[in-house]
Amino acid sequence: MKTLFTHISKLMGIRSELKFGAEMNSIDAIENAYLLVENGRVVGLGSMRELPQFDREISLENKEVIPGFVDSHTHTVFAAPREEEFVMRIKGLSYEAIAEAGGGILNSARKLRAASEDDLFEQAKSRVAYMIEQGTTTLEIKSGYGLSVDSELKMLRVIKRLKEAFPITIRATFLGAHAFPEAFQQRKDDYVQLVVKDMLPAIVADDLADHVDVFCENGFFTESQAEVVIKAAKRYGLPAKIHGNQLGYSGGVQVAVKNECWSVDHLEFTREEEWDLLTDSFKQSFGGTLPVALPGVSYFLGLPYAQAREMIEKGLPLVLATDFNPGSSPINSLQLVMSLACTQMKLTPEEAFHAITVNAAAALRMNQEVGSLSPGSKADFLVMKSDNSLAKIPYFMGQNQIDKVFVGGELYTQH
Ligand code: NIG
Ligand code: FE
């Protein structure tokens, strides 16, 4: 059945190509538009002056329509929030000092091991439902609070259940190399071997991950340890992403580009040298390593913001994501991320919009599928509350500017 969505005052984000640098500031749009959907996919779009054949019509009442958002980096499955660490930081302790004292990721790992799979699933389910209300229709979720074979598998099974429970697109990332468990503090390479020899094969056998990730940072995983994990994953056909340069110059960008990672995320610390490497990566056949900035982390931890403005000036295809997690970014709205990007990183609303739609989809190598409303893509779209909506999202910070969310052409309602 063909459904024709009519009377769209402005249909935005209609091209699936990655937007580089200055291209990020210009919006592809049709005014007074229709969108034709069949079997959950976009099969046509154009001006109301020339309508195609259809079976049923749904009027969108002169509202603006944009593609559903893509959150390419989250840690949505966790057992408990960490507000006590938040208060410790207010009183002056650093994120690193809290982590060294057994807090941080290891705190979340202890709680996750004690939690039941059902409890983790129910908690994550309500977080995902909130994210959809906030416009996220494609979501990447990482493991990495398990840090043992059983607990990593438990986390990834929860992500698999979320994939089945929601109509949105969810991708799972195995982040066993997130931190060293207490028992491995003195023999870190042994933990890397556990990740590649025990965890990876078990995860692949149950088809529980779409990518791997490594926290490549001083005090966490070194460049060569990251490389061991990425290469092992590659042998199983799993692509990689990297957490890099969050707390300093970790070599994360260099490892990511050398090993053809799809993205390098964080980048609070970068310089010319790293920007050039990323730029060159787009000339290579693997399609390039996308830079993903996470302004929620800078806001929440009081860190410098990634130099997103400079990266765009350099011609890079910037991506933004929430990094939603209980330690460094309890922010799960891409609308709020857009606001932080505009006010703190000086991105225009148009640039921030492309960074959470088509470019974010490319960080998951999914821009033919999601992140735009172009023929063939999934009909995931947002009907906005008011006109000039791209600027209103960052302007009304923290206020939901979305009237309705459609996933695969169907109105999404909470269940
Ligand atoms: O992306 N950087 C590493 N991992 C998370 C933080 C995890 C935590 O503190 O729980 C991040 O910021
Ligand atoms: Fe993260």
Side-chain angles (χ1 to χ4, degrees), residues 130-187:
Y130 178 80
M131 291 160 113
I132 300 173
E133 264 176 51
Q134 293 288 317
T136 300
T137 55
T138 301
L139 175 62
E140 183 260 17
I141 307 176
K142 300 175 197 293
S143 69
Y145 291 129
L147 310 181
S148 71
V149 178
D150 287 349
S151 297
E152 283 296 309
L153 284 168
K154 176 165 77 174
M155 265 189 103
L156 288 161
R157 279 195 302 269
V158 170
I159 302 173
K160 190 174 187 178
R161 281 172 71 181
L162 294 168
K163 287 184 180 184
E164 288 156 7
F166 288 97
I168 65 163
T169 305
I170 296 179
R171 287 284 185 267
T173 302
F174 167 52
L175 177 59
H178 195 194
F180 294 99
E182 267 133 35
F184 288 88
Q185 292 297 341
Q186 302 312 320
R187 43 193 195 103

Short mmCIF file of all heavy atoms in Angstrom, two decimals, residues 130-187:
data_model
loop_
_atom_site.label_atom_id
_atom_site.label_comp_id
_atom_site.label_asym_id
_atom_site.label_seq_id
_atom_site.Cartn_x
_atom_site.Cartn_y
_atom_site.Cartn_z
N TYR A 130 12.36 7.09 25.60
CA TYR A 130 12.56 8.53 25.74
C TYR A 130 13.36 9.08 24.55
O TYR A 130 13.05 10.14 24.00
CB TYR A 130 13.29 8.84 27.05
CG TYR A 130 13.58 10.31 27.23
CD1 TYR A 130 12.58 11.18 27.69
CD2 TYR A 130 14.82 10.86 26.91
CE1 TYR A 130 12.82 12.54 27.83
CE2 TYR A 130 15.07 12.22 27.05
CZ TYR A 130 14.07 13.05 27.51
OH TYR A 130 14.32 14.40 27.64
N MET A 131 14.39 8.33 24.15
CA MET A 131 15.22 8.79 23.03
C MET A 131 14.39 8.92 21.75
O MET A 131 14.59 9.85 20.96
CB MET A 131 16.41 7.85 22.82
CG MET A 131 17.40 7.94 23.97
SD MET A 131 18.45 6.49 24.06
CE MET A 131 20.03 7.19 23.65
N ILE A 132 13.46 7.99 21.55
CA ILE A 132 12.62 8.06 20.34
C ILE A 132 11.74 9.30 20.39
O ILE A 132 11.62 10.03 19.41
CB ILE A 132 11.78 6.77 20.16
CG1 ILE A 132 12.70 5.55 20.03
CG2 ILE A 132 10.88 6.88 18.92
CD1 ILE A 132 11.97 4.21 20.01
N GLU A 133 11.16 9.57 21.56
CA GLU A 133 10.36 10.80 21.72
C GLU A 133 11.18 12.04 21.38
O GLU A 133 10.66 13.04 20.90
CB GLU A 133 9.97 10.97 23.19
CG GLU A 133 8.62 10.48 23.58
CD GLU A 133 8.46 10.63 25.09
OE1 GLU A 133 8.71 11.73 25.63
OE2 GLU A 133 8.12 9.62 25.73
N GLN A 134 12.49 11.95 21.65
CA GLN A 134 13.39 13.07 21.36
C GLN A 134 13.90 13.04 19.92
O GLN A 134 14.76 13.84 19.55
CB GLN A 134 14.58 13.04 22.33
CG GLN A 134 14.20 13.33 23.78
CD GLN A 134 13.85 14.79 24.00
OE1 GLN A 134 14.52 15.69 23.50
NE2 GLN A 134 12.78 15.05 24.73
N GLY A 135 13.42 12.09 19.13
CA GLY A 135 13.72 12.11 17.69
C GLY A 135 14.71 11.10 17.19
O GLY A 135 14.98 11.03 15.99
N THR A 136 15.28 10.29 18.08
CA THR A 136 16.28 9.31 17.64
C THR A 136 15.58 8.09 17.04
O THR A 136 14.80 7.43 17.72
CB THR A 136 17.16 8.88 18.83
OG1 THR A 136 17.82 10.05 19.33
CG2 THR A 136 18.20 7.84 18.42
N THR A 137 15.86 7.80 15.78
CA THR A 137 15.24 6.63 15.14
C THR A 137 16.29 5.62 14.66
O THR A 137 15.94 4.57 14.13
CB THR A 137 14.34 7.04 13.96
OG1 THR A 137 15.10 7.83 13.05
CG2 THR A 137 13.13 7.84 14.44
N THR A 138 17.57 5.95 14.84
CA THR A 138 18.65 4.98 14.64
C THR A 138 19.60 5.14 15.82
O THR A 138 19.98 6.27 16.16
CB THR A 138 19.41 5.22 13.32
OG1 THR A 138 18.49 5.11 12.24
CG2 THR A 138 20.52 4.20 13.12
N LEU A 139 19.96 4.02 16.42
CA LEU A 139 20.67 4.09 17.70
C LEU A 139 21.75 3.03 17.78
O LEU A 139 21.48 1.85 17.58
CB LEU A 139 19.63 3.88 18.81
CG LEU A 139 20.07 3.80 20.26
CD1 LEU A 139 20.75 5.09 20.70
CD2 LEU A 139 18.85 3.52 21.15
N GLU A 140 22.96 3.48 18.07
CA GLU A 140 24.05 2.54 18.32
C GLU A 140 24.18 2.40 19.84
O GLU A 140 24.09 3.39 20.56
CB GLU A 140 25.35 3.09 17.71
CG GLU A 140 26.55 2.16 17.84
CD GLU A 140 27.48 2.52 18.98
OE1 GLU A 140 27.09 3.28 19.90
OE2 GLU A 140 28.61 2.04 18.98
N ILE A 141 24.37 1.15 20.31
CA ILE A 141 24.53 0.92 21.75
C ILE A 141 25.74 0.01 21.96
O ILE A 141 25.88 -1.01 21.29
CB ILE A 141 23.28 0.25 22.37
CG1 ILE A 141 22.00 1.02 22.03
CG2 ILE A 141 23.45 0.14 23.89
CD1 ILE A 141 20.72 0.36 22.54
N LYS A 142 26.60 0.41 22.92
CA LYS A 142 27.83 -0.36 23.17
C LYS A 142 27.70 -1.22 24.42
O LYS A 142 26.99 -0.86 25.36
CB LYS A 142 28.99 0.61 23.39
CG LYS A 142 29.25 1.53 22.21
CD LYS A 142 30.34 2.55 22.54
CE LYS A 142 30.32 3.72 21.57
NZ LYS A 142 30.68 3.37 20.20
N SER A 143 28.44 -2.32 24.42
CA SER A 143 28.63 -3.06 25.67
C SER A 143 29.78 -2.36 26.39
O SER A 143 30.06 -1.20 26.12
CB SER A 143 28.95 -4.52 25.37
OG SER A 143 30.24 -4.62 24.79
N GLY A 144 30.46 -3.03 27.32
CA GLY A 144 31.63 -2.39 27.92
C GLY A 144 31.52 -2.12 29.41
O GLY A 144 32.46 -1.62 30.03
N TYR A 145 30.36 -2.47 29.99
CA TYR A 145 30.26 -2.43 31.45
C TYR A 145 30.22 -3.85 32.01
O TYR A 145 29.90 -4.06 33.16
CB TYR A 145 29.01 -1.66 31.91
CG TYR A 145 29.06 -0.17 31.63
CD1 TYR A 145 28.01 0.47 30.98
CD2 TYR A 145 30.16 0.59 32.02
CE1 TYR A 145 28.05 1.83 30.73
CE2 TYR A 145 30.21 1.95 31.77
CZ TYR A 145 29.15 2.56 31.13
OH TYR A 145 29.19 3.90 30.88
N GLY A 146 30.52 -4.83 31.13
CA GLY A 146 30.53 -6.22 31.57
C GLY A 146 31.93 -6.59 32.02
O GLY A 146 32.17 -6.99 33.15
N LEU A 147 32.88 -6.45 31.08
CA LEU A 147 34.31 -6.71 31.33
C LEU A 147 34.61 -8.13 31.79
O LEU A 147 35.65 -8.39 32.38
CB LEU A 147 34.88 -5.67 32.32
CG LEU A 147 34.60 -4.19 32.00
CD1 LEU A 147 35.25 -3.29 33.04
CD2 LEU A 147 35.10 -3.80 30.60
N SER A 148 33.69 -9.05 31.54
CA SER A 148 33.96 -10.48 31.71
C SER A 148 33.16 -11.15 30.59
O SER A 148 32.24 -10.52 30.03
CB SER A 148 33.48 -11.00 33.06
OG SER A 148 32.07 -11.04 33.10
N VAL A 149 33.50 -12.40 30.27
CA VAL A 149 32.81 -13.06 29.16
C VAL A 149 31.30 -13.06 29.41
O VAL A 149 30.51 -12.61 28.57
CB VAL A 149 33.32 -14.51 28.95
CG1 VAL A 149 32.56 -15.18 27.82
CG2 VAL A 149 34.82 -14.50 28.66
N ASP A 150 30.90 -13.52 30.60
CA ASP A 150 29.46 -13.65 30.88
C ASP A 150 28.75 -12.30 30.86
O ASP A 150 27.65 -12.17 30.31
CB ASP A 150 29.23 -14.30 32.25
CG ASP A 150 29.57 -15.77 32.20
OD1 ASP A 150 29.76 -16.30 31.09
OD2 ASP A 150 29.64 -16.38 33.29
N SER A 151 29.36 -11.31 31.49
CA SER A 151 28.66 -10.03 31.60
C SER A 151 28.63 -9.26 30.28
O SER A 151 27.66 -8.56 29.99
CB SER A 151 29.27 -9.18 32.71
OG SER A 151 29.09 -9.84 33.93
N GLU A 152 29.68 -9.40 29.47
CA GLU A 152 29.64 -8.75 28.15
C GLU A 152 28.54 -9.40 27.29
O GLU A 152 27.78 -8.71 26.62
CB GLU A 152 31.00 -8.85 27.45
CG GLU A 152 32.04 -7.86 27.97
CD GLU A 152 31.68 -6.40 27.71
OE1 GLU A 152 31.34 -6.04 26.57
OE2 GLU A 152 31.73 -5.60 28.67
N LEU A 153 28.46 -10.74 27.38
CA LEU A 153 27.40 -11.43 26.63
C LEU A 153 26.02 -11.01 27.13
O LEU A 153 25.11 -10.78 26.33
CB LEU A 153 27.56 -12.95 26.75
CG LEU A 153 28.68 -13.57 25.92
CD1 LEU A 153 28.93 -15.03 26.34
CD2 LEU A 153 28.36 -13.53 24.42
N LYS A 154 25.90 -10.86 28.44
CA LYS A 154 24.60 -10.44 29.02
C LYS A 154 24.20 -9.07 28.47
O LYS A 154 23.06 -8.88 28.02
CB LYS A 154 24.74 -10.40 30.55
CG LYS A 154 23.51 -9.89 31.27
CD LYS A 154 23.55 -10.20 32.77
CE LYS A 154 24.48 -9.27 33.53
NZ LYS A 154 24.44 -9.47 34.99
N MET A 155 25.14 -8.14 28.46
CA MET A 155 24.84 -6.79 27.93
C MET A 155 24.42 -6.83 26.47
O MET A 155 23.48 -6.17 26.04
CB MET A 155 26.10 -5.91 28.00
CG MET A 155 26.20 -5.06 29.23
SD MET A 155 27.56 -3.90 29.06
CE MET A 155 26.71 -2.39 28.68
N LEU A 156 25.17 -7.63 25.69
CA LEU A 156 24.88 -7.68 24.26
C LEU A 156 23.55 -8.39 23.98
O LEU A 156 22.86 -8.04 23.03
CB LEU A 156 26.05 -8.34 23.51
CG LEU A 156 27.30 -7.45 23.42
CD1 LEU A 156 28.54 -8.28 23.10
CD2 LEU A 156 27.13 -6.33 22.40
N ARG A 157 23.19 -9.34 24.84
CA ARG A 157 21.87 -9.97 24.68
C ARG A 157 20.76 -8.97 24.97
O ARG A 157 19.71 -8.98 24.32
CB ARG A 157 21.74 -11.20 25.60
CG ARG A 157 22.40 -12.45 25.05
CD ARG A 157 21.94 -13.69 25.80
NE ARG A 157 22.21 -13.61 27.23
CZ ARG A 157 23.32 -14.04 27.83
NH1 ARG A 157 24.28 -14.61 27.13
NH2 ARG A 157 23.48 -13.91 29.13
N VAL A 158 21.00 -8.08 25.92
CA VAL A 158 20.01 -7.03 26.22
C VAL A 158 19.85 -6.13 24.99
O VAL A 158 18.73 -5.79 24.60
CB VAL A 158 20.43 -6.21 27.47
CG1 VAL A 158 19.55 -4.99 27.63
CG2 VAL A 158 20.38 -7.08 28.72
N ILE A 159 20.96 -5.79 24.35
CA ILE A 159 20.88 -4.95 23.15
C ILE A 159 20.10 -5.68 22.05
O ILE A 159 19.27 -5.10 21.36
CB ILE A 159 22.29 -4.52 22.66
CG1 ILE A 159 23.03 -3.77 23.77
CG2 ILE A 159 22.18 -3.67 21.39
CD1 ILE A 159 24.49 -3.44 23.47
N LYS A 160 20.33 -6.99 21.94
CA LYS A 160 19.59 -7.77 20.94
C LYS A 160 18.09 -7.74 21.23
O LYS A 160 17.27 -7.60 20.32
CB LYS A 160 20.11 -9.22 20.94
CG LYS A 160 19.57 -10.02 19.79
CD LYS A 160 20.20 -11.39 19.72
CE LYS A 160 19.75 -12.10 18.46
NZ LYS A 160 20.38 -13.41 18.35
N ARG A 161 17.73 -7.83 22.51
CA ARG A 161 16.30 -7.76 22.87
C ARG A 161 15.72 -6.39 22.55
O ARG A 161 14.56 -6.26 22.15
CB ARG A 161 16.11 -8.08 24.35
CG ARG A 161 16.16 -9.56 24.64
CD ARG A 161 16.17 -9.85 26.12
NE ARG A 161 14.88 -9.58 26.78
CZ ARG A 161 14.68 -9.76 28.10
NH1 ARG A 161 15.67 -10.19 28.88
NH2 ARG A 161 13.50 -9.51 28.63
N LEU A 162 16.53 -5.35 22.72
CA LEU A 162 16.06 -4.00 22.38
C LEU A 162 15.80 -3.89 20.88
O LEU A 162 14.83 -3.27 20.44
CB LEU A 162 17.08 -2.93 22.82
CG LEU A 162 17.28 -2.79 24.34
CD1 LEU A 162 18.50 -1.92 24.63
CD2 LEU A 162 16.04 -2.21 25.02
N LYS A 163 16.69 -4.52 20.10
CA LYS A 163 16.50 -4.51 18.63
C LYS A 163 15.15 -5.11 18.27
O LYS A 163 14.47 -4.65 17.35
CB LYS A 163 17.58 -5.37 17.93
CG LYS A 163 18.97 -4.77 17.89
CD LYS A 163 19.90 -5.69 17.09
CE LYS A 163 21.31 -5.14 17.03
NZ LYS A 163 22.22 -5.94 16.19
N GLU A 164 14.79 -6.18 19.01
CA GLU A 164 13.52 -6.85 18.70
C GLU A 164 12.31 -6.09 19.25
O GLU A 164 11.22 -6.16 18.70
CB GLU A 164 13.54 -8.27 19.29
CG GLU A 164 14.48 -9.19 18.51
CD GLU A 164 15.00 -10.38 19.32
OE1 GLU A 164 14.53 -10.59 20.46
OE2 GLU A 164 15.89 -11.08 18.80
N ALA A 165 12.52 -5.33 20.33
CA ALA A 165 11.39 -4.67 21.00
C ALA A 165 10.97 -3.35 20.34
O ALA A 165 9.86 -2.88 20.57
CB ALA A 165 11.75 -4.42 22.46
N PHE A 166 11.85 -2.76 19.56
CA PHE A 166 11.56 -1.45 18.98
C PHE A 166 11.58 -1.48 17.45
O PHE A 166 12.39 -2.21 16.87
CB PHE A 166 12.57 -0.41 19.47
CG PHE A 166 12.38 -0.03 20.91
CD1 PHE A 166 13.14 -0.64 21.90
CD2 PHE A 166 11.44 0.93 21.28
CE1 PHE A 166 12.95 -0.31 23.24
CE2 PHE A 166 11.25 1.27 22.61
CZ PHE A 166 12.00 0.65 23.60
N PRO A 167 10.77 -0.63 16.82
CA PRO A 167 10.80 -0.58 15.35
C PRO A 167 11.99 0.22 14.81
O PRO A 167 12.28 0.14 13.62
CB PRO A 167 9.48 0.12 15.00
CG PRO A 167 9.17 0.97 16.19
CD PRO A 167 9.72 0.23 17.39
N ILE A 168 12.64 1.01 15.68
CA ILE A 168 13.78 1.80 15.19
C ILE A 168 14.95 0.87 14.89
O ILE A 168 14.96 -0.29 15.28
CB ILE A 168 14.22 2.90 16.20
CG1 ILE A 168 14.76 2.29 17.50
CG2 ILE A 168 13.06 3.85 16.50
CD1 ILE A 168 15.58 3.28 18.33
N THR A 169 15.97 1.41 14.21
CA THR A 169 17.16 0.62 13.86
C THR A 169 18.17 0.73 15.00
O THR A 169 18.56 1.83 15.38
CB THR A 169 17.78 1.17 12.55
OG1 THR A 169 16.75 1.16 11.55
CG2 THR A 169 18.95 0.33 12.10
N ILE A 170 18.58 -0.41 15.54
CA ILE A 170 19.56 -0.42 16.62
C ILE A 170 20.77 -1.23 16.17
O ILE A 170 20.62 -2.30 15.58
CB ILE A 170 18.95 -1.00 17.92
CG1 ILE A 170 17.81 -0.07 18.41
CG2 ILE A 170 20.01 -1.17 19.00
CD1 ILE A 170 17.09 -0.52 19.68
N ARG A 171 21.96 -0.71 16.43
CA ARG A 171 23.20 -1.42 16.10
C ARG A 171 24.00 -1.66 17.39
O ARG A 171 24.06 -0.76 18.24
CB ARG A 171 24.06 -0.59 15.13
CG ARG A 171 23.52 -0.56 13.71
CD ARG A 171 23.82 -1.87 13.01
NE ARG A 171 23.43 -1.87 11.61
CZ ARG A 171 22.26 -2.28 11.14
NH1 ARG A 171 21.32 -2.71 11.96
NH2 ARG A 171 22.02 -2.27 9.84
N ALA A 172 24.59 -2.84 17.51
CA ALA A 172 25.32 -3.20 18.73
C ALA A 172 26.83 -3.14 18.51
O ALA A 172 27.33 -3.60 17.49
CB ALA A 172 24.93 -4.62 19.13
N THR A 173 27.52 -2.58 19.48
CA THR A 173 28.99 -2.50 19.42
C THR A 173 29.59 -3.19 20.64
O THR A 173 29.21 -2.90 21.78
CB THR A 173 29.45 -1.03 19.38
OG1 THR A 173 28.86 -0.40 18.24
CG2 THR A 173 30.96 -0.93 19.28
N PHE A 174 30.53 -4.08 20.37
CA PHE A 174 31.23 -4.79 21.46
C PHE A 174 32.40 -3.93 21.95
O PHE A 174 33.35 -3.70 21.22
CB PHE A 174 31.72 -6.16 20.96
CG PHE A 174 32.69 -6.82 21.88
CD1 PHE A 174 32.41 -6.98 23.23
CD2 PHE A 174 33.91 -7.30 21.40
CE1 PHE A 174 33.32 -7.59 24.09
CE2 PHE A 174 34.82 -7.92 22.25
CZ PHE A 174 34.52 -8.06 23.59
N LEU A 175 32.31 -3.47 23.20
CA LEU A 175 33.36 -2.62 23.78
C LEU A 175 33.97 -3.30 25.01
O LEU A 175 34.05 -2.72 26.08
CB LEU A 175 32.74 -1.24 24.13
CG LEU A 175 33.58 -0.16 24.83
CD1 LEU A 175 34.82 0.23 24.02
CD2 LEU A 175 32.75 1.08 25.12
N GLY A 176 34.37 -4.57 24.83
CA GLY A 176 35.03 -5.27 25.93
C GLY A 176 36.27 -4.52 26.39
O GLY A 176 36.63 -4.53 27.57
N ALA A 177 36.95 -3.85 25.46
CA ALA A 177 38.15 -3.08 25.78
C ALA A 177 37.77 -1.66 26.21
O ALA A 177 38.13 -0.68 25.57
CB ALA A 177 39.10 -3.06 24.59
N HIS A 178 37.02 -1.57 27.29
CA HIS A 178 36.55 -0.27 27.80
C HIS A 178 37.37 0.14 29.01
O HIS A 178 37.67 1.32 29.21
CB HIS A 178 35.06 -0.40 28.16
CG HIS A 178 34.35 0.89 28.36
ND1 HIS A 178 33.12 0.98 28.96
CD2 HIS A 178 34.68 2.17 28.05
CE1 HIS A 178 32.72 2.23 28.99
NE2 HIS A 178 33.66 2.97 28.45
N ALA A 179 37.71 -0.85 29.87
CA ALA A 179 38.55 -0.59 31.06
C ALA A 179 39.13 -1.92 31.47
O ALA A 179 38.63 -2.98 31.08
CB ALA A 179 37.70 -0.01 32.18
N PHE A 180 40.19 -1.86 32.30
CA PHE A 180 40.77 -3.11 32.81
C PHE A 180 40.09 -3.47 34.13
O PHE A 180 40.12 -2.65 35.06
CB PHE A 180 42.28 -2.97 33.01
CG PHE A 180 43.01 -2.78 31.71
CD1 PHE A 180 43.39 -1.51 31.28
CD2 PHE A 180 43.29 -3.87 30.90
CE1 PHE A 180 44.04 -1.33 30.07
CE2 PHE A 180 43.95 -3.70 29.69
CZ PHE A 180 44.32 -2.43 29.27
N PRO A 181 39.50 -4.67 34.23
CA PRO A 181 38.90 -5.07 35.51
C PRO A 181 39.97 -5.10 36.60
O PRO A 181 41.16 -5.28 36.29
CB PRO A 181 38.37 -6.47 35.23
CG PRO A 181 38.44 -6.67 33.77
CD PRO A 181 39.41 -5.71 33.21
N GLU A 182 39.54 -5.00 37.86
CA GLU A 182 40.50 -4.95 38.98
C GLU A 182 41.52 -6.09 38.93
O GLU A 182 42.72 -5.87 39.09
CB GLU A 182 39.75 -4.99 40.31
CG GLU A 182 39.45 -3.60 40.86
CD GLU A 182 38.00 -3.43 41.33
OE1 GLU A 182 37.43 -4.40 41.84
OE2 GLU A 182 37.46 -2.32 41.13
N ALA A 183 41.05 -7.30 38.66
CA ALA A 183 41.93 -8.47 38.69
C ALA A 183 43.01 -8.43 37.61
O ALA A 183 43.99 -9.18 37.68
CB ALA A 183 41.10 -9.74 38.53
N PHE A 184 42.86 -7.57 36.63
CA PHE A 184 43.84 -7.52 35.52
C PHE A 184 44.71 -6.26 35.56
O PHE A 184 45.45 -6.01 34.62
CB PHE A 184 43.10 -7.60 34.18
CG PHE A 184 42.54 -8.96 33.86
CD1 PHE A 184 41.26 -9.31 34.28
CD2 PHE A 184 43.29 -9.89 33.16
CE1 PHE A 184 40.73 -10.56 33.98
CE2 PHE A 184 42.77 -11.15 32.86
CZ PHE A 184 41.48 -11.49 33.28
N GLN A 185 44.61 -5.48 36.63
CA GLN A 185 45.35 -4.21 36.66
C GLN A 185 46.85 -4.42 36.49
O GLN A 185 47.52 -3.58 35.90
CB GLN A 185 45.09 -3.46 37.99
CG GLN A 185 43.66 -2.93 38.16
CD GLN A 185 43.26 -1.88 37.11
OE1 GLN A 185 44.10 -1.28 36.47
NE2 GLN A 185 41.95 -1.69 36.94
N GLN A 186 47.37 -5.54 36.99
CA GLN A 186 48.81 -5.79 36.89
C GLN A 186 49.18 -6.62 35.66
O GLN A 186 50.36 -6.92 35.45
CB GLN A 186 49.33 -6.51 38.15
CG GLN A 186 49.07 -5.74 39.47
CD GLN A 186 49.48 -4.28 39.39
OE1 GLN A 186 50.53 -3.94 38.81
NE2 GLN A 186 48.66 -3.39 39.96
N ARG A 187 48.20 -7.07 34.91
CA ARG A 187 48.50 -7.90 33.72
C ARG A 187 47.51 -7.56 32.61
O ARG A 187 46.65 -8.34 32.23
CB ARG A 187 48.50 -9.39 34.06
CG ARG A 187 47.35 -9.81 34.95
CD ARG A 187 47.52 -11.21 35.53
NE ARG A 187 46.23 -11.65 36.07
CZ ARG A 187 45.41 -12.50 35.48
NH1 ARG A 187 45.72 -13.06 34.32
NH2 ARG A 187 44.26 -12.82 36.01
#
